[in-house]
Amino acid sequence: MTSGFFGDIKPARYEGPDSTNPLAYRHYNPDEILLGKRMEEHLRFAIAYWHSFTWPGGDPFGGQTFERPWFPKEGSGETMEHAKLKADVAFEMFSLLGAPYFCFHDADVRPEGDTFSESASRLDEIADYFATKMSETGVKLLWGTANLFSNRRYMAGAATNPDPDVFAYAAATVKHCIDVTKRLNGENYVLWGGREGYETLLNTDLSRELDQLGRFLSLVVDYKHKIGFKGTILIEPKPQEPTKHQYDYDVATVFGFLQKYGLEKEVKVNIEQGHAILAGHSFEHELALANALGIFGSIDMNRNDYQSGWDTDQFPNNVPEMVLAYYQVLLGGGFKTGGTNFDAKLRRQSLDPQDLLIAHIGGMDCCARGLKAAARMIEDKALGGPLDERYAGWKSPEAQAMLSGKRTLEAIAARVVTDKIEPQPKSGRQEYLENVVNRYV
Ligand code: XUL
Ligand code: CO
């Protein structure tokens, strides 16, 4: 028995590029093999619970636009019955889409209780409900996380709050959410530092707050090992929203932070497309940097409006950009425990149940197109060949000796004189390479 929310819509199938069926895949073909691996295993799609099932369609100028049978009537609170109906519909959607994973915050899935213990026991009850649905449908948990930003207790931060009681409450919350994530065989645990930042130095001790955040993360890592949680701990960088100065601004900032607290081998990053752009980078820059630093974990896939400068969390639809993103994912060896989580929501006028399906199907298809093109570029060494050529000079024994520390500055200087070295500039061939990429898109 289904909830009936999606009417008689049938599961989305791959129908090939010529299909005009809005509820079919034109590119996402889970069983298609790319670089020796099934497409489903490359992409590891996950659905974000919060945007599709919890967010009511509000914006700063207006409230709820979506009417969902699991939303409480105006003036009344969410009950566990609402939360279970929401779970029923969520799992129906995962199955209709053939999405292998989902992700959730504690606050998305259960009504907040009057006390910490009441909130925790409600989450446990929903986790049991999830466990049954997960075994019925085969849908798995990509990651769990705690919402440490919406409740007013976190307005001045969670781990970085001036009040140690808030630090303790947040620690207890994360401990419980990791327990639940482990119980549901989650493959990662995410920490997005929603309010871990500040508005003004007039009331902020920045150095103390960084130490608090470092301690908090160390506690989380220690606990993970203590309970034998095999998943990856992921930090999700984001600049300037909601606080003016976020401590986890971008990949480079997060790496510096991890190194300072000795955690760079323990924690990886979950990189979100829109957050990368807000930080003044491209998505592929953030991915390439995380690969270079050895901290790449997972991605939140979406897009922002390039004019508004907000984190609008739209569904991705720019294939040329996605090719370059998946190219970096593949170069790094692909996802291990991570995956492609749609941290994306409908526009608030998209009221219909099928809008939810169409949005995800379109996003999954764009990812599949990006991945297919990226895989062909790797097979053909379309960019790898020219790149090898560009750096080929470094293969010479003298160049290797400079790089490995076998030459002093004086020795290098002497050789420039004796060998009469006068470097000859070579073309970077950017336009040629851009044209090469366009052949694959
Ligand atoms: C906020 C954001 C979060 C995290 C999880 O911008 O991306 O939804 O992904 O807390
Ligand atoms: Co995100």
Side-chain angles (χ1 to χ4, degrees), residues 138-193:
V139 175
K140 294 171 286 183
L141 179 61
L142 186 65
W143 46 264
T145 188
N147 179 325
L148 304 180
F149 41 91
S150 294
N151 191 287
R152 65 194 287 275
R153 77 173 73 85
Y154 296 123
M155 68 180 191
T160 60
N161 202 289
D163 178 354
D165 281 353
V166 177
F167 180 102
Y169 197 100
T173 302
V174 169
K175 177 198 170 290
H176 185 237
C177 285
I178 295 180
D179 290 341
V180 167
T181 300
K182 177 172 184 271
R183 198 159 97 221
L184 296 175
N185 297 314
E187 300 186 23
N188 307 270
Y189 185 84
V190 165
L191 293 132
W192 167 55

Short mmCIF file of all heavy atoms in Angstrom, two decimals, residues 138-193:
data_model
loop_
_atom_site.label_atom_id
_atom_site.label_comp_id
_atom_site.label_asym_id
_atom_site.label_seq_id
_atom_site.Cartn_x
_atom_site.Cartn_y
_atom_site.Cartn_z
N GLY A 138 15.79 -1.46 -0.37
CA GLY A 138 17.20 -1.53 -0.76
C GLY A 138 17.88 -0.17 -0.82
O GLY A 138 19.05 -0.06 -1.19
N VAL A 139 17.15 0.89 -0.44
CA VAL A 139 17.75 2.23 -0.43
C VAL A 139 18.68 2.35 0.78
O VAL A 139 18.35 1.88 1.87
CB VAL A 139 16.65 3.32 -0.38
CG1 VAL A 139 17.26 4.70 -0.24
CG2 VAL A 139 15.78 3.24 -1.63
N LYS A 140 19.86 2.96 0.56
CA LYS A 140 20.88 3.04 1.62
C LYS A 140 21.11 4.48 2.05
O LYS A 140 20.69 5.42 1.38
CB LYS A 140 22.19 2.43 1.10
CG LYS A 140 22.07 0.92 0.82
CD LYS A 140 23.29 0.36 0.09
CE LYS A 140 23.29 0.78 -1.37
NZ LYS A 140 24.39 0.25 -2.17
N LEU A 141 21.79 4.62 3.17
CA LEU A 141 22.06 5.95 3.71
C LEU A 141 23.46 6.40 3.29
O LEU A 141 24.45 5.78 3.67
CB LEU A 141 21.95 5.91 5.25
CG LEU A 141 22.24 7.22 5.98
CD1 LEU A 141 21.26 8.31 5.56
CD2 LEU A 141 22.17 7.00 7.49
N LEU A 142 23.54 7.48 2.50
CA LEU A 142 24.86 7.99 2.12
C LEU A 142 25.48 8.72 3.30
O LEU A 142 26.62 8.47 3.63
CB LEU A 142 24.75 8.94 0.91
CG LEU A 142 26.10 9.40 0.35
CD1 LEU A 142 26.90 8.24 -0.24
CD2 LEU A 142 25.93 10.50 -0.68
N TRP A 143 24.72 9.62 3.91
CA TRP A 143 25.20 10.24 5.14
C TRP A 143 24.09 10.76 6.03
O TRP A 143 23.00 11.08 5.57
CB TRP A 143 26.23 11.33 4.90
CG TRP A 143 26.05 12.39 3.84
CD1 TRP A 143 26.56 12.36 2.57
CD2 TRP A 143 25.40 13.68 3.96
NE1 TRP A 143 26.27 13.52 1.92
CE2 TRP A 143 25.58 14.35 2.74
CE3 TRP A 143 24.72 14.32 4.99
CZ2 TRP A 143 25.07 15.64 2.51
CZ3 TRP A 143 24.21 15.60 4.76
CH2 TRP A 143 24.40 16.23 3.53
N GLY A 144 24.41 10.80 7.31
CA GLY A 144 23.54 11.44 8.29
C GLY A 144 24.23 12.70 8.78
O GLY A 144 25.44 12.87 8.61
N THR A 145 23.44 13.60 9.38
CA THR A 145 24.02 14.82 9.94
C THR A 145 23.05 15.39 10.97
O THR A 145 21.88 15.00 11.02
CB THR A 145 24.33 15.85 8.83
OG1 THR A 145 25.06 16.94 9.40
CG2 THR A 145 23.09 16.39 8.15
N ALA A 146 23.57 16.30 11.79
CA ALA A 146 22.71 16.97 12.78
C ALA A 146 22.48 18.41 12.33
O ALA A 146 23.40 19.05 11.83
CB ALA A 146 23.39 16.96 14.14
N ASN A 147 21.27 18.88 12.54
CA ASN A 147 20.99 20.29 12.24
C ASN A 147 21.41 21.11 13.47
O ASN A 147 20.72 21.12 14.49
CB ASN A 147 19.51 20.47 11.93
CG ASN A 147 19.16 21.92 11.64
OD1 ASN A 147 19.74 22.83 12.24
ND2 ASN A 147 18.21 22.15 10.75
N LEU A 148 22.56 21.75 13.39
CA LEU A 148 23.09 22.56 14.49
C LEU A 148 23.03 24.04 14.12
O LEU A 148 23.93 24.80 14.43
CB LEU A 148 24.54 22.16 14.80
CG LEU A 148 24.82 20.69 15.13
CD1 LEU A 148 26.31 20.47 15.40
CD2 LEU A 148 24.00 20.22 16.33
N PHE A 149 21.95 24.42 13.39
CA PHE A 149 21.88 25.82 12.94
C PHE A 149 20.49 26.44 12.97
O PHE A 149 20.36 27.64 13.06
CB PHE A 149 22.46 25.95 11.51
CG PHE A 149 22.05 24.84 10.57
CD1 PHE A 149 20.91 24.95 9.79
CD2 PHE A 149 22.81 23.68 10.47
CE1 PHE A 149 20.53 23.94 8.93
CE2 PHE A 149 22.43 22.66 9.61
CZ PHE A 149 21.29 22.78 8.84
N SER A 150 19.42 25.63 12.91
CA SER A 150 18.08 26.25 12.81
C SER A 150 17.54 26.72 14.16
O SER A 150 17.00 27.82 14.27
CB SER A 150 17.09 25.26 12.20
OG SER A 150 17.43 24.98 10.87
N ASN A 151 17.67 25.90 15.19
CA ASN A 151 17.12 26.25 16.49
C ASN A 151 17.80 27.50 17.06
O ASN A 151 19.01 27.67 16.90
CB ASN A 151 17.30 25.07 17.44
CG ASN A 151 16.51 25.25 18.72
OD1 ASN A 151 16.87 26.06 19.56
ND2 ASN A 151 15.43 24.50 18.84
N ARG A 152 17.04 28.35 17.75
CA ARG A 152 17.64 29.60 18.24
C ARG A 152 18.77 29.38 19.23
O ARG A 152 19.63 30.26 19.42
CB ARG A 152 16.57 30.54 18.82
CG ARG A 152 15.87 30.03 20.05
CD ARG A 152 14.60 30.86 20.33
NE ARG A 152 14.90 32.20 20.84
CZ ARG A 152 15.12 32.48 22.13
NH1 ARG A 152 15.12 31.53 23.03
NH2 ARG A 152 15.36 33.73 22.51
N ARG A 153 18.84 28.18 19.86
CA ARG A 153 19.95 27.94 20.79
C ARG A 153 21.30 28.04 20.07
O ARG A 153 22.31 28.29 20.67
CB ARG A 153 19.80 26.58 21.49
CG ARG A 153 20.17 25.37 20.67
CD ARG A 153 20.17 24.06 21.47
NE ARG A 153 18.82 23.61 21.79
CZ ARG A 153 18.04 22.89 20.99
NH1 ARG A 153 18.47 22.52 19.78
NH2 ARG A 153 16.83 22.54 21.37
N TYR A 154 21.27 27.83 18.74
CA TYR A 154 22.53 27.84 17.96
C TYR A 154 22.78 29.18 17.27
O TYR A 154 23.66 29.26 16.42
CB TYR A 154 22.49 26.74 16.90
CG TYR A 154 22.43 25.34 17.48
CD1 TYR A 154 21.39 24.47 17.15
CD2 TYR A 154 23.41 24.90 18.37
CE1 TYR A 154 21.33 23.20 17.68
CE2 TYR A 154 23.36 23.62 18.90
CZ TYR A 154 22.31 22.78 18.56
OH TYR A 154 22.27 21.52 19.09
N MET A 155 22.04 30.23 17.65
CA MET A 155 22.19 31.48 16.89
C MET A 155 23.61 32.03 16.94
O MET A 155 24.08 32.65 15.99
CB MET A 155 21.17 32.53 17.34
CG MET A 155 21.39 33.04 18.73
SD MET A 155 20.12 34.25 19.13
CE MET A 155 20.82 34.89 20.66
N ALA A 156 24.36 31.75 18.04
CA ALA A 156 25.75 32.23 18.12
C ALA A 156 26.74 31.09 17.90
O ALA A 156 27.88 31.15 18.35
CB ALA A 156 25.99 32.89 19.48
N GLY A 157 26.28 30.07 17.21
CA GLY A 157 27.18 28.95 16.91
C GLY A 157 26.82 27.71 17.72
O GLY A 157 26.06 27.77 18.69
N ALA A 158 27.37 26.58 17.31
CA ALA A 158 27.18 25.30 18.04
C ALA A 158 28.49 25.05 18.79
O ALA A 158 28.64 25.46 19.94
CB ALA A 158 26.83 24.20 17.07
N ALA A 159 29.49 24.44 18.12
CA ALA A 159 30.78 24.22 18.76
C ALA A 159 31.48 25.54 19.10
O ALA A 159 32.27 25.61 20.04
CB ALA A 159 31.67 23.39 17.84
N THR A 160 31.20 26.59 18.34
CA THR A 160 31.91 27.87 18.54
C THR A 160 31.09 28.85 19.36
O THR A 160 31.36 30.06 19.35
CB THR A 160 32.26 28.51 17.18
OG1 THR A 160 31.05 28.76 16.46
CG2 THR A 160 33.15 27.60 16.35
N ASN A 161 30.10 28.34 20.10
CA ASN A 161 29.26 29.24 20.91
C ASN A 161 30.02 29.74 22.13
O ASN A 161 30.79 28.99 22.71
CB ASN A 161 28.00 28.48 21.34
CG ASN A 161 26.87 29.41 21.70
OD1 ASN A 161 26.91 30.09 22.71
ND2 ASN A 161 25.86 29.45 20.84
N PRO A 162 29.81 30.99 22.53
CA PRO A 162 30.44 31.46 23.77
C PRO A 162 29.94 30.71 25.01
O PRO A 162 30.61 30.74 26.05
CB PRO A 162 30.06 32.95 23.83
CG PRO A 162 29.09 33.21 22.74
CD PRO A 162 29.13 32.06 21.78
N ASP A 163 28.81 30.05 24.92
CA ASP A 163 28.23 29.34 26.07
C ASP A 163 28.60 27.85 26.00
O ASP A 163 28.19 27.15 25.08
CB ASP A 163 26.70 29.51 26.02
CG ASP A 163 25.98 28.78 27.14
OD1 ASP A 163 26.65 28.04 27.91
OD2 ASP A 163 24.75 28.94 27.24
N PRO A 164 29.37 27.34 27.00
CA PRO A 164 29.77 25.93 26.95
C PRO A 164 28.60 24.95 27.00
O PRO A 164 28.73 23.81 26.55
CB PRO A 164 30.68 25.76 28.18
CG PRO A 164 30.45 26.94 29.04
CD PRO A 164 29.93 28.05 28.17
N ASP A 165 27.46 25.38 27.52
CA ASP A 165 26.29 24.49 27.53
C ASP A 165 25.81 24.21 26.10
O ASP A 165 25.30 23.13 25.81
CB ASP A 165 25.13 25.11 28.33
CG ASP A 165 25.35 24.95 29.83
OD1 ASP A 165 26.32 24.25 30.23
OD2 ASP A 165 24.55 25.53 30.60
N VAL A 166 25.96 25.18 25.22
CA VAL A 166 25.56 24.95 23.83
C VAL A 166 26.54 23.97 23.18
O VAL A 166 26.13 23.06 22.46
CB VAL A 166 25.47 26.27 23.03
CG1 VAL A 166 25.11 26.00 21.57
CG2 VAL A 166 24.46 27.21 23.66
N PHE A 167 27.84 24.14 23.47
CA PHE A 167 28.85 23.18 22.98
C PHE A 167 28.47 21.77 23.42
O PHE A 167 28.47 20.83 22.61
CB PHE A 167 30.22 23.59 23.56
CG PHE A 167 31.38 22.72 23.15
CD1 PHE A 167 32.27 23.15 22.16
CD2 PHE A 167 31.64 21.50 23.77
CE1 PHE A 167 33.37 22.37 21.79
CE2 PHE A 167 32.73 20.72 23.42
CZ PHE A 167 33.60 21.15 22.42
N ALA A 168 28.12 21.63 24.70
CA ALA A 168 27.78 20.30 25.24
C ALA A 168 26.52 19.74 24.57
O ALA A 168 26.47 18.56 24.19
CB ALA A 168 27.59 20.39 26.76
N TYR A 169 25.51 20.59 24.39
CA TYR A 169 24.26 20.15 23.77
C TYR A 169 24.51 19.69 22.33
O TYR A 169 24.00 18.66 21.89
CB TYR A 169 23.25 21.31 23.81
CG TYR A 169 21.82 20.89 23.58
CD1 TYR A 169 20.93 20.73 24.63
CD2 TYR A 169 21.34 20.67 22.28
CE1 TYR A 169 19.61 20.35 24.42
CE2 TYR A 169 20.02 20.29 22.05
CZ TYR A 169 19.16 20.14 23.13
OH TYR A 169 17.86 19.77 22.91
N ALA A 170 25.34 20.48 21.63
CA ALA A 170 25.67 20.12 20.24
C ALA A 170 26.47 18.81 20.21
O ALA A 170 26.24 17.95 19.34
CB ALA A 170 26.47 21.25 19.59
N ALA A 171 27.38 18.64 21.16
CA ALA A 171 28.18 17.41 21.22
C ALA A 171 27.27 16.20 21.45
O ALA A 171 27.41 15.16 20.79
CB ALA A 171 29.23 17.52 22.32
N ALA A 172 26.33 16.35 22.39
CA ALA A 172 25.40 15.25 22.68
C ALA A 172 24.56 14.93 21.45
O ALA A 172 24.28 13.76 21.14
CB ALA A 172 24.51 15.63 23.86
N THR A 173 24.17 15.97 20.73
CA THR A 173 23.34 15.79 19.52
C THR A 173 24.12 15.05 18.44
O THR A 173 23.62 14.11 17.81
CB THR A 173 22.87 17.17 19.00
OG1 THR A 173 22.14 17.81 20.05
CG2 THR A 173 22.00 17.04 17.78
N VAL A 174 25.38 15.46 18.22
CA VAL A 174 26.19 14.80 17.19
C VAL A 174 26.49 13.36 17.59
O VAL A 174 26.42 12.45 16.76
CB VAL A 174 27.50 15.60 16.92
CG1 VAL A 174 28.46 14.80 16.06
CG2 VAL A 174 27.16 16.93 16.25
N LYS A 175 26.78 13.13 18.87
CA LYS A 175 27.02 11.74 19.33
C LYS A 175 25.81 10.87 18.96
O LYS A 175 25.97 9.79 18.37
CB LYS A 175 27.23 11.70 20.84
CG LYS A 175 27.40 10.27 21.36
CD LYS A 175 27.17 10.16 22.86
CE LYS A 175 27.09 8.69 23.28
NZ LYS A 175 25.87 8.02 22.82
N HIS A 176 24.62 11.37 19.26
CA HIS A 176 23.43 10.57 18.99
C HIS A 176 23.21 10.38 17.49
O HIS A 176 22.86 9.28 17.04
CB HIS A 176 22.22 11.21 19.66
CG HIS A 176 20.99 10.38 19.52
ND1 HIS A 176 19.84 10.86 18.95
CD2 HIS A 176 20.74 9.08 19.83
CE1 HIS A 176 18.94 9.89 18.92
NE2 HIS A 176 19.45 8.80 19.45
N CYS A 177 23.47 11.44 16.72
CA CYS A 177 23.27 11.31 15.26
C CYS A 177 24.30 10.36 14.64
O CYS A 177 23.98 9.67 13.67
CB CYS A 177 23.32 12.68 14.59
SG CYS A 177 21.83 13.64 14.88
N ILE A 178 25.52 10.33 15.18
CA ILE A 178 26.48 9.34 14.66
C ILE A 178 26.02 7.93 15.03
O ILE A 178 26.12 7.00 14.22
CB ILE A 178 27.91 9.60 15.20
CG1 ILE A 178 28.43 10.94 14.67
CG2 ILE A 178 28.87 8.48 14.80
CD1 ILE A 178 29.82 11.30 15.13
N ASP A 179 25.51 7.77 16.25
CA ASP A 179 24.98 6.45 16.64
C ASP A 179 23.91 5.98 15.66
O ASP A 179 23.91 4.84 15.19
CB ASP A 179 24.36 6.51 18.05
CG ASP A 179 25.40 6.68 19.15
OD1 ASP A 179 26.59 6.40 18.91
OD2 ASP A 179 25.01 7.13 20.26
N VAL A 180 22.99 6.90 15.33
CA VAL A 180 21.89 6.55 14.43
C VAL A 180 22.43 6.27 13.02
O VAL A 180 22.01 5.31 12.36
CB VAL A 180 20.83 7.69 14.41
CG1 VAL A 180 19.85 7.52 13.26
CG2 VAL A 180 20.10 7.74 15.74
N THR A 181 23.38 7.09 12.58
CA THR A 181 23.97 6.90 11.25
C THR A 181 24.65 5.53 11.17
O THR A 181 24.51 4.80 10.17
CB THR A 181 24.98 8.03 10.94
OG1 THR A 181 24.27 9.27 10.99
CG2 THR A 181 25.61 7.88 9.58
N LYS A 182 25.36 5.17 12.22
CA LYS A 182 26.03 3.86 12.25
C LYS A 182 24.99 2.73 12.23
O LYS A 182 25.12 1.75 11.49
CB LYS A 182 26.91 3.74 13.49
CG LYS A 182 27.58 2.38 13.64
CD LYS A 182 28.60 2.36 14.77
CE LYS A 182 29.32 1.03 14.84
NZ LYS A 182 28.63 0.05 15.69
N ARG A 183 23.94 2.90 13.04
CA ARG A 183 22.90 1.87 13.11
C ARG A 183 22.27 1.64 11.73
O ARG A 183 21.91 0.51 11.37
CB ARG A 183 21.84 2.31 14.11
CG ARG A 183 20.96 1.19 14.59
CD ARG A 183 20.32 1.57 15.91
NE ARG A 183 18.99 2.10 15.73
CZ ARG A 183 18.50 3.15 16.40
NH1 ARG A 183 19.25 3.81 17.26
NH2 ARG A 183 17.27 3.54 16.19
N LEU A 184 22.15 2.70 10.93
CA LEU A 184 21.54 2.58 9.60
C LEU A 184 22.59 2.32 8.51
O LEU A 184 22.31 2.47 7.32
CB LEU A 184 20.75 3.86 9.27
CG LEU A 184 19.54 4.17 10.18
CD1 LEU A 184 18.93 5.51 9.83
CD2 LEU A 184 18.49 3.06 10.10
N ASN A 185 23.79 1.93 8.93
CA ASN A 185 24.89 1.64 7.98
C ASN A 185 25.21 2.82 7.07
O ASN A 185 25.55 2.62 5.89
CB ASN A 185 24.58 0.41 7.12
CG ASN A 185 24.45 -0.83 7.96
OD1 ASN A 185 25.29 -1.08 8.84
ND2 ASN A 185 23.38 -1.58 7.77
N GLY A 186 25.11 4.02 7.61
CA GLY A 186 25.47 5.22 6.82
C GLY A 186 26.93 5.13 6.41
O GLY A 186 27.77 4.62 7.14
N GLU A 187 27.23 5.65 5.22
CA GLU A 187 28.59 5.51 4.68
C GLU A 187 29.47 6.72 4.97
O GLU A 187 30.68 6.70 4.72
CB GLU A 187 28.52 5.16 3.19
CG GLU A 187 27.76 3.84 3.01
CD GLU A 187 27.74 3.29 1.60
OE1 GLU A 187 28.61 3.62 0.80
OE2 GLU A 187 26.79 2.51 1.31
N ASN A 188 28.86 7.79 5.50
CA ASN A 188 29.59 9.00 5.87
C ASN A 188 28.79 9.70 6.96
O ASN A 188 27.60 9.46 7.15
CB ASN A 188 29.71 9.98 4.70
CG ASN A 188 30.29 9.34 3.45
OD1 ASN A 188 31.49 9.33 3.24
ND2 ASN A 188 29.43 8.74 2.62
N TYR A 189 29.48 10.62 7.64
CA TYR A 189 28.79 11.53 8.57
C TYR A 189 29.25 12.95 8.23
O TYR A 189 30.45 13.20 8.17
CB TYR A 189 29.09 11.20 10.03
CG TYR A 189 28.28 12.07 10.95
CD1 TYR A 189 26.97 11.73 11.27
CD2 TYR A 189 28.79 13.27 11.41
CE1 TYR A 189 26.19 12.58 12.05
CE2 TYR A 189 28.01 14.12 12.19
CZ TYR A 189 26.71 13.76 12.51
OH TYR A 189 25.94 14.60 13.26
N VAL A 190 28.30 13.86 7.99
CA VAL A 190 28.64 15.22 7.53
C VAL A 190 28.50 16.25 8.65
O VAL A 190 27.57 16.19 9.46
CB VAL A 190 27.74 15.62 6.33
CG1 VAL A 190 27.78 17.13 6.06
CG2 VAL A 190 28.17 14.88 5.07
N LEU A 191 29.45 17.17 8.68
CA LEU A 191 29.33 18.34 9.55
C LEU A 191 29.43 19.59 8.68
O LEU A 191 30.49 19.87 8.12
CB LEU A 191 30.47 18.37 10.58
CG LEU A 191 30.44 17.24 11.61
CD1 LEU A 191 31.81 16.62 11.72
CD2 LEU A 191 29.97 17.74 12.95
N TRP A 192 28.29 20.24 8.49
CA TRP A 192 28.32 21.55 7.85
C TRP A 192 28.26 22.58 8.97
O TRP A 192 27.34 22.53 9.80
CB TRP A 192 27.14 21.74 6.89
CG TRP A 192 27.00 23.18 6.47
CD1 TRP A 192 27.97 23.95 5.89
CD2 TRP A 192 25.87 24.03 6.65
NE1 TRP A 192 27.52 25.23 5.69
CE2 TRP A 192 26.23 25.30 6.14
CE3 TRP A 192 24.58 23.84 7.17
CZ2 TRP A 192 25.35 26.38 6.16
CZ3 TRP A 192 23.71 24.91 7.18
CH2 TRP A 192 24.08 26.16 6.67
N GLY A 193 29.21 23.49 9.02
CA GLY A 193 29.28 24.44 10.13
C GLY A 193 28.32 25.59 9.97
O GLY A 193 28.71 26.75 9.92
#
